Amino acid sequence: ATQTKSADVERADSGIGRMAARKWRNRASETLSSLQAWEAHRPCTDCGERDLPVETDVQNCNQRRADLCEKCRKRRTERKESVLEFVNTEASYGEDLRIIKEEFYLPMQAAGLLTPEQLLGIFSNIQELIDLNENFLEILQEEIDQAFDQGDDDLMTVCIGEIFLEFVNMLPAFQTYCLQQSSSVNMLNTLEKEKELLRIFLNVSQNDNTALRRMNLRSFLMAPLQRVTKYPLLLSRIIKATTEYHPDHGSLREAKSRIESHLEHINMKTKQEGNTWTLRSFRQDSKKKREVINIEMRETALKTVGWLREETRFVMEGSLQLAQPPDGQWVKKGSKTLKFQNMQVLLLVNMKRVSESSLESAESGPVKDAVLVLIRDKNNGKFHLLREPLRLSNCIVSTDPDCDDTFELIEIRREAFVFRDSDRARTHHWFRQIRRYSKELGSWKKRRNALPNIMISTPNTRP
């Protein structure tokens, strides 16, 4: 009896008694029921809702839950269709560009119907648009093919917004073409009246050339204008079908804002030049207005320095206060006595491209040149340069501990400029960026350790 009693006590103390075993079985049953209940109502992978439809797997003779609710499945289908529409219409636009070149430009050039100047006046920068379209379409098609190869049938891994922002340099090319469109059409009309052979060629091409789909040259010349105005609409459809948690959602919105700002800028330029036609207009907000102003300033700066657009990077741009003190005034009296004026300042860097085929590879190349472009605030609707650009290869950038809200830039010829921003942190950021690129340029500064006075520089070790 004693042994039986001690065994019962031992078994109870070890936790495997009848009551404990019953509780464990009840708890395991409850856990299994909870797991089954969660499995029956597990959330949608896109939106988190739990109204998932039941799908029947006929091959395995069992039922399984879909990962998406009906709403998200429909949204994914719409997004896939919108992405494919973007790519397919880009391919169709590219075909129209090639028709312009191969069916009109090259035959006219070979037959001598027009002079090189007349061809340039009518067809503008069509070759640049062709090159941009081919590169853009190649990347888009690669993304589509890669998604299908990886089993992404819904194309959720394709990020149109990111790709569009990588090719944002194509927007100025559209602007060049659009601004010349009015004069191009007028020139074509005039030449068609004057040159009988040209008129015959255009009529025969439209009626007999099946590749033209019975469209005339003027219709094809409108293709770039139609394409650039369609980008915001296509991007809006993709944004509408893309959940805000998708990694491309922010890039899509930024891409749409960038293209709309460029369209507003093109409309503004056409009005300044006296043209009556405009592209599709979009409602402006304060952010888009600022972007339009930035586009115009970049164009002014790029035209001033004469660099290639694909080799130019705009490091910083914005409003700064500028003063030009007489010799020694800033050192003696500090910045309180200086008279500052508001100025638009752009820091441009000219960087060598690593690859000719890459539009964005200029950022990783070596620095060839860097300048500060100083632009007065808008007057009579136009920007005006304060002076010639300041080449940082000929400048020394410094700051004074007693005047930490400003920094000074001195040219070799001893012309000095004092800059400051309304925000002290922004002033320091400007200073660091300008000093960084000024140190990379100028062989004379390497010999003098970037100091204004060669006598100040002393070697670290003496014999």
Side-chain angles (χ1 to χ4, degrees):
T2 303
Q3 292 177 355
T4 302
K5 185 176 181 180
S6 61
D8 292 339
V9 172
E10 181 181 358
R11 186 170 62 183
D13 293 341
S14 62
I16 56 174
R18 294 180 179 178
M19 293 297 295
R22 189 180 299 111
K23 290 181 179 180
W24 181 84
R25 286 194 297 269
N26 292 338
R27 196 170 297 171
S29 178
E30 292 174 359
T31 303
L32 181 60
S33 300
S34 299
L35 290 174
Q36 291 175 346
W38 182 89
E39 179 67 19
H41 301 283
R42 71 167 180 258
C44 169
T45 56
D46 280 6
C47 66
E49 298 294 334
R50 297 178 179 272
D51 56 340
L52 304 185
V54 177
E55 291 186 351
T56 304
D57 190 342
V58 179
Q59 182 178 1
N60 297 325
C61 298
N62 60 0
Q63 288 186 338
R64 60 182 178 86
R65 278 284 185 177
D67 293 331
L68 300 172
C69 65
E70 190 64 31
K71 180 179 179 180
C72 289
R73 294 181 67 181
K74 183 178 179 181
R75 178 187 294 172
R76 283 199 176 192
T77 301
E78 293 175 352
R79 185 182 187 278
K80 178 181 178 180
E81 292 175 352
S82 300
V83 169
L84 291 177
E85 180 186 12
F86 189 99
V87 179
N88 293 335
T89 52
E90 187 71 22
S92 300
Y93 160 66
E95 287 296 326
D96 289 342
L97 293 181
R98 282 183 284 277
I99 287 176
I100 294 175
K101 178 182 177 181
E102 297 173 3
E103 306 297 337
F104 291 104
Y105 180 88
L106 292 180
M108 289 181 182
Q109 185 183 47
L113 296 178
L114 299 177
T115 65
E117 293 76 14
Q118 292 169 341
L119 288 171
L120 179 61
I122 293 176
F123 296 97
S124 187
N125 61 330
I126 196 69
Q127 184 59 52
E128 182 183 11
L129 294 177
I130 291 174
D131 295 338
L132 289 169
N133 167 260
E134 289 178 350
N135 293 333
F136 188 35
L137 186 60
E138 181 181 1
I139 299 299
L140 289 173
Q141 196 60 56
E142 287 180 358
E143 290 292 318
I144 297 292
D145 295 340
Q146 183 177 0
F148 282 131
D149 292 342
Q150 295 176 351
D152 179 18
D153 295 334
D154 293 329
L155 303 181
M156 294 298 291
T157 57
V158 177
C159 296
I160 296 293
E162 292 182 3
I163 300 173
F164 192 94
L165 291 177
E166 289 179 2
F167 282 83
V168 75
N169 278 340
M170 67 182 177
L171 299 181
F174 276 107
Q175 175 178 313
T176 300
Y177 186 90
C178 293
L179 293 179
Q180 296 184 11
Q181 179 63 20
S182 180
S183 60
S184 298
V185 173
N186 292 335
M187 179 180 290
L188 178 61
N189 294 336
T190 302
L191 292 173
E192 192 174 2
K193 293 178 182 179
E194 296 176 352
K195 295 179 177 291
E196 183 179 2
L197 290 178
L198 175 63
R199 184 168 60 253
I200 294 173
F201 168 78
L202 294 177
N203 290 333
V204 171
S205 298
Q206 179 179 356
N207 296 324
D208 298 341
N209 192 340
T210 57
L212 303 186
R213 309 186 299 274
R214 302 189 69 83
M215 294 169 56
N216 57 28
L217 175 57
R218 294 174 186 80
S219 300
F220 283 100
L221 291 177
M222 291 296 294
L225 280 72
Q226 295 169 349
R227 185 59 185 171
V228 73
T229 54
K230 197 172 183 180
Y231 279 135
L233 305 178
L234 294 172
L235 291 172
S236 295
R237 293 176 189 174
I238 301 177
I239 293 172
K240 184 178 179 181
T242 302
T243 176
E244 61 180 359
Y245 303 108
H246 193 280
D248 195 40
H249 190 268
S251 298
L252 285 168
R253 289 193 172 277
E254 182 180 355
K256 180 174 178 287
S257 177
R258 294 285 290 273
I259 182 62
E260 289 179 352
S261 298
H262 271 273
L263 291 176
E264 293 294 346
H265 177 64
I266 293 173
N267 285 337
M268 180 187 66
K269 297 288 286 186
T270 55
K271 291 179 182 178
Q272 291 177 355
E273 296 179 4
N275 295 326
T276 57
W277 67 272
T278 58
L279 297 174
R280 175 184 170 86
S281 181
F282 295 89
R283 182 178 58 85
Q284 290 191 13
D285 54 22
S286 58
K287 181 180 178 181
K288 289 176 184 174
K289 289 181 180 179
R290 291 195 302 270
E291 180 64 23
V292 169
I293 294 175
N294 291 341
I295 294 171
E296 190 172 358
M297 286 196 303
R298 292 176 203 143
E299 281 194 347
T300 302
L302 202 58
K303 187 181 299 183
T304 302
V305 298
W307 297 345
L308 295 176
R309 183 179 288 111
E310 59 268 19
E311 294 184 356
T312 304
R313 185 156 66 94
F314 293 88
V315 180
M316 290 192 69
E317 55 190 21
S319 178
L320 283 178
Q321 294 180 340
L322 176 144
Q324 291 182 267
D327 292 343
Q329 182 184 15
W330 186 45
V331 177
K332 293 179 181 179
K333 300 181 180 181
S335 62
K336 295 181 181 180
T337 59
L338 297 179
K339 294 182 179 180
F340 287 89
Q341 58 179 324
N342 292 326
M343 195 70 52
Q344 298 294 333
V345 182
L346 294 90
L347 173 57
L348 281 70
V349 176
N350 190 6
M351 309 189 79
K352 187 176 180 181
R353 286 183 295 172
V354 177
S355 172
E356 292 293 331
S357 61
S358 176
L359 296 177
E360 295 295 323
S361 57
E363 294 194 17
S364 59
V367 177
K368 295 195 296 185
D369 202 356
V371 298
L372 275 184
V373 179
L374 309 179
I375 301 178
R376 296 181 184 273
D377 282 342
K378 233 178 178 184
N379 186 18
N380 297 327
K382 294 183 179 180
F383 288 108
H384 298 281
L385 294 176
L386 174 68
R387 63 183 309 284
E388 291 296 317
L390 294 170
R391 298 198 173 274
L392 298 189
S393 58
N394 299 331
C395 298
I396 295 171
V397 189
S398 59
T399 185
D400 191 329
D402 296 331
C403 304
D404 61 348
D405 61 337
T406 61
F407 64 90
E408 186 179 28
L409 187 145
I410 305 177
E411 285 189 306
I412 295 178
R413 57 186 179 180
R414 307 303 297 171
E415 186 178 6
F417 300 86
V418 178
F419 295 95
R420 73 180 181 186
D421 199 312
S422 56
D423 180 66
R424 183 169 298 185
R426 286 277 299 173
T427 302
H428 293 168
H429 185 53
W430 272 99
F431 167 68
R432 289 192 298 269
Q433 290 291 333
I434 296 174
R435 182 178 62 175
R436 169 192 170 189
Y437 290 105
S438 66
K439 284 185 175 182
E440 295 186 17
L441 300 167
S443 57
W444 63 276
K445 286 192 291 186
K446 295 179 180 178
R447 296 194 302 269
R448 297 173 52 179
N449 293 333
L451 293 174
N453 193 332
I454 192 172
M455 301 305 295
I456 298 178
S457 177
T458 58
N460 295 328
T461 58
R462 295 181 180 273

